[in-house]
């Protein structure tokens, strides 16, 4: 990198830091916790249209009732829960049943991707519950008291819900993921994880792919309510005929949610067993 580019980068960093401080987004300390190189890399990988959406979302200039009310004579209240001045912060926090369900479904998709890229199950479960909570809980509350990820969770909570939803993640999370990839023995890097997600979105499916998905769906039809955590049992309330006649994409989405729900139940069982064994050792 040349001197001129270094000067431009430093100038941009100073301006961004001052802007975020003025808007109450991040002070000097939390600004430096953010993995800015990863943010830049992610933005560079997006299409122009999606980059525009992200920019509007982060700038809070999205299609909310509050923004619409600036140029139309219409209510600015949230159409789902009725809260006045629906802005981007409220959109991701709204606790109305339908919006909460959409957030839960999104959490399952994110969790499945994290499991596919070999992140530790304990942290995946914590992040999934964090997303489902919709800004009402801190990550540190959702981890065990002896979790190895508490230091990261504290950094995460200093950055807050909006930063997480808008992609301003802590550098510590990247370090954790590198360790997870190393321990798993996976032939992947952080960059390759991102490329893998892109390939999943654009590659076509063969007839073999369609048949495999149908087989996996049939296998999961045998899952019973007690095999899932209470908050995930709604996944069993579906029209099996409609799912069978629907698109492979719809079946894959249901499969991802079910697999994530099963993993969550197994993780809870493992932690309960470990806790009972530790307690038994303490009594001996």
């Amino acid at each position: 990198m040349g001197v001129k580019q270094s000067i431009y980068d430093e100038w941009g960093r100073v301006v961004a830091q001052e802007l975020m401080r003025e808007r109450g987004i991040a002070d000097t300390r939390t600004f430096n916790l953010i993995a800015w190189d990863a943010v830049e890399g992610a933005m560079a990988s997006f299409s122009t249209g999606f980059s525009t959406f992200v920019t509007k979302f982060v700038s809070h200039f999205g299609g909310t009732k509050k923004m619409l009310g600036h140029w139309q004579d219409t209510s600015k209240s949230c159409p789902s829960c009725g809260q006045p001045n629906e802005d981007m912060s409220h959109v991701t926090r709204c606790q109305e049943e339908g919006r909460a369900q959409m957030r839960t479904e999104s959490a399952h998709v994110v969790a499945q991707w994290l499991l596919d890229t070999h992140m530790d199950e304990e942290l995946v479960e914590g992040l999934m519950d964090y997303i489902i909570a919709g800004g009402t809980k801190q990550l540190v509350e959702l981890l065990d008291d002896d979790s190895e990820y508490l230091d990261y969770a504290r950094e995460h909570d200093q950055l807050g819900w909006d930063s997480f939803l808008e992609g301003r993640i802590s550098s510590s999370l990247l370090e954790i993921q590198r360790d997870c990839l190393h321990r798993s023995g996976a032939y992947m890097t952080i960059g390759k994880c991102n490329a893998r997600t892109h390939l999943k979105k654009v590659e076509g499916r063969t007839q073999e792919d369609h048949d495999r998905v149908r087989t996996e769906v049939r296998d999961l039809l045998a899952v019973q309510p007690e095999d899932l955590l209470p908050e995930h049992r709604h996944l069993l309330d579906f029209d099996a005929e409609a799912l069978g006649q629907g698109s492979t994409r719809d079946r894959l989405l249901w499969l991802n949610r079910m697999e994530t729900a099963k993993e969550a139940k197994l993780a809870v069982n493992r932690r309960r067993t470990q806790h009972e064994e530790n307690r038994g050792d303490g009594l001996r």
Side-chain angles (χ1 to χ4, degrees):
M1 181 184 295
V3 174
K4 184 177 180 179
Q5 186 61 49
S6 297
I7 292 173
Y8 277 143
D9 289 348
E10 182 59 26
W11 175 79
R13 184 179 184 86
V14 170
V15 171
Q17 186 171 332
E18 181 62 21
L19 178 63
M20 290 190 171
R21 186 189 63 78
E22 290 178 355
R23 294 190 176 183
I25 298 174
D27 57 23
T28 301
R29 182 177 182 281
T30 52
F31 182 91
N32 291 322
L33 294 176
I34 298 169
W36 288 113
D37 288 343
V39 173
E40 181 179 3
M43 287 294 291
S45 72
F46 297 152
S47 66
T48 301
F50 190 67
S51 294
T52 301
F53 165 76
V54 172
T55 300
K56 289 183 176 181
F57 183 86
V58 172
S59 303
H60 290 204
F61 279 91
T64 64
K65 293 300 291 291
K66 180 179 179 180
M67 294 300 296
L68 187 62
H70 288 314
W71 62 82
Q72 290 186 13
D73 184 16
T74 183
S75 170
K76 296 183 181 181
S77 299
C78 173
S80 298
C81 72
Q83 176 171 308
N85 287 324
E86 181 206 40
D87 57 13
M88 296 304 291
S89 293
H90 175 73
V91 167
T92 64
R93 289 175 168 83
C94 184
Q95 297 298 316
E96 185 271 333
E97 182 179 358
R99 292 197 181 189
Q101 179 62 32
M102 290 177 63
R103 191 165 50 243
T104 297
E105 292 177 0
S106 297
H108 291 155
V109 173
V110 171
Q112 184 60 55
W113 176 73
L114 291 174
L115 290 172
D116 287 346
T117 51
H118 304 282
M119 182 171 280
D120 188 282
E121 290 181 4
E122 178 192 357
L123 186 53
V124 171
E125 182 182 351
L127 289 171
M128 182 175 70
D129 291 341
Y130 179 78
I131 295 172
I132 291 173
T136 62
K137 292 185 178 181
Q138 294 193 323
L139 181 58
V140 73
E141 300 177 56
L142 301 170
L143 299 178
D144 290 340
D145 292 340
D146 59 350
S147 172
E148 65 178 298
Y149 301 116
L150 287 179
D151 288 341
Y152 159 68
R154 294 186 185 98
E155 282 193 3
H156 173 103
D157 291 333
Q158 287 179 51
L159 291 171
W161 170 256
D162 287 328
S163 283
F164 180 69
L165 263 287
E166 293 169 7
R168 296 187 297 274
I169 61 172
S170 167
S171 298
S172 298
L173 184 58
L174 298 186
E175 293 303 318
I176 289 171
Q177 181 61 5
R178 288 190 181 96
D179 289 342
C180 289
L181 289 172
H182 179 73
R183 290 200 299 264
S184 72
Y187 187 65
M188 300 175 70
T189 65
I190 296 294
K192 288 180 181 177
C193 289
N194 187 53
R196 176 177 175 176
T197 304
H198 176 68
L199 287 172
K200 281 189 172 182
K201 290 178 180 177
V202 301
E203 65 187 6
R205 299 187 181 96
T206 64
Q207 185 58 49
E208 182 180 350
D209 294 330
H210 292 290
D211 293 341
R212 176 183 56 78
V213 170
R214 289 181 181 276
T215 299
E216 291 179 3
V217 168
R218 284 196 294 269
D219 291 343
L220 285 179
L221 292 179
V223 172
Q224 299 299 310
E226 57 269 23
D227 297 327
L228 305 177
L229 297 173
E231 59 264 34
H232 298 150
R233 290 172 185 168
H234 68 275
L235 292 171
L236 299 176
D237 297 329
F238 66 95
D239 187 333
E241 183 177 354
L243 185 65
Q245 295 177 352
S247 67
T248 297
R249 179 184 178 279
D250 290 337
R251 287 189 285 275
L252 275 172
L253 185 59
W254 183 78
L255 277 173
N256 285 338
R257 294 168 183 165
M258 283 291 291
E259 292 293 350
T260 301
K262 288 174 59 184
E263 287 289 341
K265 175 69 172 181
L266 291 172
V268 168
N269 289 344
R270 283 194 293 268
R271 288 162 59 187
R272 183 180 295 118
T273 299
Q274 185 63 49
H275 176 73
E276 291 174 353
E277 290 177 352
N278 291 341
R279 185 171 59 182
D281 291 341
L283 294 175
R284 286 197 289 270

